[in-house]
């Protein structure tokens, strides 16, 4: 049955007979899959690999009769990614969150695909339902990408509207869908604390996100009570190494120099692939405390989320070592760099990694890269 949310909701079981054949008959999707799975194979073999891959997928898909069965096909790949690209994946705070009711997980945003994927995995291994993920329509310019994302429990945040009325209508629909998912369908939601990744390492919640959540509030309920009903849980995700750090450093430098940055074709897709396949070292996920009652406006809620995310952030050795390297480069720092109880091995590993990432970057790009690792750590020690 058609609903008001059809334009933004994830696909459901009834969509599968239409969506799956369209996806797996898309040559660009198959080519992208081959390039991802066989990156080192000669390109001359890719047509053959594409044909084999497509036939393999079709055989697998004949066993799929529901979205849950489709998502089970992805689970082994997620587990393999964790085993091969991370040194460890640790979780804290989840045991203090009541998951008997749906939660709105508001997270810092460092990686396009992996931030919600790691939240999903933490919930999955604890026998919990996974989240519905908010994804900006800027990532959905290719129809096959949109189909694949919506098959994986993602809903669309419409950002492309230019007319003021259209923007407001889209925001109201999104606000209503989030509340409906949480309180009627009892589905967890993942939402980034701001639009776009925090490429500079500054995790700051945009109060406009909180204002959007409140658009669906009926007038008989005060702001604080409505926000509390959404069960907002701040989430911190920390990566020891960021596979996309050089991409981010170059983009930040262009923005500083030219005031704008025009993304090359398919850069977002390349960042997704790089994030998934690149080495991340240790990864830590911390679930903060559910938003309490009493906040009067969006700015106060945003500040609470910021405090919780910063408190749960783990800078690993790359944070303090980058801060020391930054101080050595500039002889200035936003805050004094204090000694952490790091082992010589940790310091050596972080230093070796950071120096390797500085290779090939300009002086300004090097400072941007070091800052993105150091910023959260420097902000943390300011609050201690």
């Amino acid at each position: 049955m058609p609903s008001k949310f059809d334009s933004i909701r994830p696909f459901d079981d009834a969509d599968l007979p239409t969506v799956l054949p369209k996806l797996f008959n898309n040559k660009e999707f198959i080519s992208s899959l081959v390039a991802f799975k066989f990156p080192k194979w000669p390109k001359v073999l890719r047509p053959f690999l594409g044909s084999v891959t497509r036939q393999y997928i079709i055989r697998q898909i004949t066993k799929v009769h529901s979205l849950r069965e489709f998502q089970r096909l992805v689970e082994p790949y997620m587990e393999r990614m964790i085993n091969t690209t991370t040194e460890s994946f640790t979780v804290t705070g989840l045991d203090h969150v009541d998951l008997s009711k749906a939660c709105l997980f508001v997270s810092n945003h460092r990686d396009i695909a992996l931030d919600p994927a790691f939240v999903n995995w933490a919930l999955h291994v604890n026998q919990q339902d996974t989240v519905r993920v908010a994804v900006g329509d800027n990532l959905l310019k290719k129809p096959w990408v949109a189909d694949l994302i919506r098959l994986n429990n993602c809903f669309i945040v419409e950002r492309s509207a230019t007319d003021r009325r259209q923007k407001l209508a889209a925001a109201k629909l999104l606000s209503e869908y989030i509340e409906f998912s949480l309180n009627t369908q009892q589905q967890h939601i993942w939402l980034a604390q701001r639009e776009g990744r925090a490429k500079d390492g500054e995790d700051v919640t945009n109060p406009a996100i909180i204002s959007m959540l409140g658009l669906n509030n009926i007038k008989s309920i005060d702001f604080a009570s409505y926000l509390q009903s959404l069960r907002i849980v701040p989430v911190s995700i920390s990566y020891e190494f960021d596979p996309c750090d050089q991409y981010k450093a170059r983009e930040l430098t262009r923005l500083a120099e030219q005031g704008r940055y025009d993304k090359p074709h398919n850069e977002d897709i390349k960042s997704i692939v790089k994030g998934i396949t690149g080495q991340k070292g240790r990864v830590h996920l911390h679930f903060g405390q559910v938003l309490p009652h009493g906040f009067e406006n969006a700015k106060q809620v945003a500040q609470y989320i910021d405090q919780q995310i910063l408190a749960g952030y783990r800078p690993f050795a790359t944070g303090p070592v980058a801060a020391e390297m930054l101080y050595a480069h500039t002889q200035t720092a936003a805050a004094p760099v204090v000694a952490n109880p790091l082992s010589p091995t940790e310091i050596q590993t972080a230093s070796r990694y950071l120096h390797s990432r500085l290779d090939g970057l300009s002086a300004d790009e090097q400072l941007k890269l070091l800052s993105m690792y150091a910023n959260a750590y420097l902000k943390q020690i300011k609050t201690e």
Side-chain angles (χ1 to χ4, degrees):
M1 176 182 292
S3 82
K4 67 172 72 175
F5 304 124
D6 282 348
S7 63
I8 64 170
R9 66 169 175 80
F11 288 136
D12 57 28
D13 292 350
D15 297 309
L16 289 180
T18 302
V19 176
L20 288 181
K22 183 174 68 169
L23 180 62
F24 296 116
N25 283 306
N26 186 293
K27 292 182 180 179
E28 188 175 8
F29 168 69
I30 297 298
S31 296
S32 298
L33 201 59
V34 168
F36 171 66
K37 190 161 180 61
F38 307 103
K40 297 181 180 180
W41 285 53
K43 290 185 179 180
V44 70
L45 294 177
R46 287 190 178 178
F48 168 73
L49 293 171
S51 177
V52 172
T53 299
R54 182 174 177 274
Q55 292 304 315
Y56 172 78
I57 290 172
I58 288 173
R59 286 197 299 272
Q60 294 294 107
I61 291 303
T62 58
K63 308 171 188 176
V64 171
H65 304 289
S66 70
L67 260 296
R68 187 69 193 97
E69 290 175 349
F70 176 83
Q71 287 154 9
R72 282 199 190 104
L73 293 178
V74 179
E75 288 171 11
Y77 295 97
M78 181 68 187
E79 187 170 14
R80 188 174 68 180
M81 181 276 295
I82 291 175
N83 291 336
T84 59
T85 72
T86 71
E87 182 180 328
S88 65
F89 173 53
T90 53
V91 180
T92 55
L94 188 58
D95 53 335
H96 298 300
V97 179
D98 179 7
L99 296 173
S100 64
K101 299 177 182 177
C103 297
L104 172 54
F105 298 107
V106 179
S107 162
N108 62 331
H109 192 23
R110 299 300 183 87
D111 185 276
I112 295 173
L114 290 184
D115 297 344
F118 278 118
V119 171
N120 264 339
W121 191 252
L123 293 171
H124 171 70
V125 297
N126 283 278
Q127 290 76 52
Q128 296 293 327
D129 288 337
T130 53
V131 295
R132 287 179 177 172
V133 178
V135 175
D137 61 3
N138 57 298
L139 296 177
L140 311 180
K141 294 175 182 177
K142 292 182 179 295
W144 68 264
V145 176
D147 288 346
L148 186 62
I149 283 176
R150 293 177 74 183
L151 281 168
N152 281 287
N153 217 20
C154 297
F155 61 96
I156 299 171
V157 178
E158 296 182 4
R159 295 173 178 159
S160 56
T162 55
D163 179 81
R164 186 175 179 179
R165 291 182 181 179
Q166 290 179 329
K167 286 183 177 181
L168 181 58
K172 285 182 176 179
L173 181 67
L174 180 63
S175 178
E176 185 178 356
Y177 178 72
I178 289 173
E179 192 278 332
F180 175 76
S181 294
L182 292 167
N183 292 329
T184 300
Q185 297 186 318
Q186 286 296 300
Q187 294 288 314
H188 298 306
I189 295 283
W190 178 90
L191 187 66
Q193 67 178 161
R194 52 178 278 184
E195 179 181 334
R197 292 168 291 166
K199 301 180 183 72
D200 58 1
E202 293 278 2
D203 300 316
V204 180
T205 304
N206 185 352
I209 300 291
I210 309 304
S211 296
M212 176 277 294
L213 293 173
L215 287 175
N216 190 54
N217 184 21
I218 58 176
K219 294 181 180 179
S220 60
I221 301 177
D222 63 88
F223 176 84
S225 297
Y226 182 78
L227 264 290
Q228 189 182 34
S229 76
L230 301 182
R231 293 183 49 77
I232 296 174
V233 178
V235 179
S236 308
I237 185 161
S238 314
Y239 298 91
E240 184 176 18
F241 309 138
D242 183 345
C244 297
D245 49 15
Q246 291 182 331
Y247 293 169
K248 294 177 182 179
R250 292 188 178 102
E251 178 177 340
L252 291 171
T253 303
R254 299 298 173 275
L255 280 170
E257 292 173 348
Q258 303 171 13
R260 58 179 291 176
Y261 177 73
D262 297 319
K263 285 187 179 181
H265 179 63
N266 276 355
E267 181 173 287
D268 285 332
I269 301 300
K270 290 178 181 178
S271 292
I272 290 173
V273 172
K274 186 71 172 175
I276 292 172
T277 60
Q279 292 299 311
K280 291 165 276 291
R282 291 170 291 176
V283 179
H284 183 70
L285 198 64
H286 178 76
F287 292 82
Q289 298 177 6
V290 178
L291 180 78
H293 187 274
F295 294 102
E296 298 179 355
N297 55 56
K299 185 177 180 181
Q300 290 179 359
V301 174
Q303 289 172 341
Y304 174 81
I305 294 172
D306 287 349
Q307 180 272 324
Q308 287 281 303
I309 288 176
L310 185 64
Y313 185 77
R314 186 169 293 182
F316 299 110
T318 42
V321 171
E324 290 182 2
M325 291 171 64
L326 192 64
Y327 181 79
H329 272 72
T330 63
Q331 291 300 304
T332 59
V337 179
V338 299
N340 250 14
L342 298 174
S343 70
T345 300
E346 286 181 306
I347 295 172
Q348 185 181 47
T349 299
S351 180
R352 186 186 302 119
Y353 172 80
L354 290 168
H355 278 101
S356 74
R357 304 306 288 170
L358 297 179
D359 285 347
L361 299 182
S362 69
D364 288 340
E365 290 168 348
Q366 290 179 355
L367 294 180
K368 293 294 185 185
L369 187 141
L370 292 174
S371 293
M372 77 175 65
Y373 282 100
N375 279 340
Y377 168 72
L378 291 172
K379 188 181 289 186
Q380 261 189 344
I381 63 174
K382 273 186 178 180
T383 62
E384 291 178 351

